[in-house]
Amino acid sequence: MNEDARRLANSRVHLVPAVLSLANPPWQRDVWLDPSTFENLDHVFHMLFDDFCDADEPERHLGTSLRTEEEAALMRELGAALNAAADEASDDTDASHLTAASWPAVVTAAGRLAHVMVANDLEELAALHEPVDGG
């Protein structure tokens, strides 16, 4: 595996679960609202905006954490939805974000992006197992 592929895989190991968590409201309530767990919405924001992507300008991360232009466009939509929910939240708590009127848009955008990211990763994995044409 070359260095670019290793960097992409390392980023996606963190980024895809963050997106999946945004697409799963029962999980959000069970994990983010439990003070004994490490992960919370702030952790997810850091994954998407600081550590492994920039959901405001995701195109810069093509090839480093995002595979396709479609993923970048969907990440931009998710970033806009997250920013809208953060603006609506009455305070900076996870519970406040989850009850924001625009939170369903976050879940929807995350679901679309998660579907595409997982499908792209599975396609890449399948390609690793295709027989090499010796011809």
Side-chain angles (χ1 to χ4, degrees):
M1 176 183 284
N2 68 34
E3 189 59 34
D4 289 340
R6 189 178 319 279
R7 187 175 331 112
L8 180 64
N10 182 54
S11 294
R12 288 179 80 89
V13 161
H14 299 283
L15 192 61
V16 172
V19 173
L20 287 168
S21 71
L22 289 168
N24 189 336
W27 189 90
Q28 295 163 10
R29 289 187 299 273
D30 290 346
V31 175
W32 296 344
L33 300 183
D34 180 350
S36 68
T37 62
F38 167 75
E39 187 174 322
N40 56 25
L41 185 55
D42 188 52
H43 174 78
V44 173
F45 265 91
H46 283 292
M47 293 289 125
L48 299 179
F49 287 93
D50 303 321
D51 299 339
F52 297 100
C53 195
D54 177 356
D56 291 323
E57 297 181 23
E59 296 78 11
R60 296 182 304 132
H61 294 274
L62 281 167
T64 58
S65 61
L66 301 172
R67 291 189 188 281
T68 66
E69 294 281 344
E70 181 183 21
E71 286 183 3
L74 291 169
M75 180 63 77
R76 182 178 289 280
E77 289 177 24
L78 177 56
L82 281 165
N83 287 327
D87 288 345
E88 286 179 17
S90 60
D91 56 37
D92 198 26
T93 64
D94 291 356
S96 178
H97 283 80
L98 297 181
T99 58
S102 63
W103 191 257
V106 171
V107 174
T108 299
R112 285 194 302 266
L113 176 56
H115 175 78
V116 170
M117 291 181 88
V118 170
N120 288 344
D121 285 351
L122 290 174
E123 184 178 307
E124 185 71 20
L125 183 61
L128 294 173
H129 297 287
E130 290 179 0
V132 177
D133 184 7

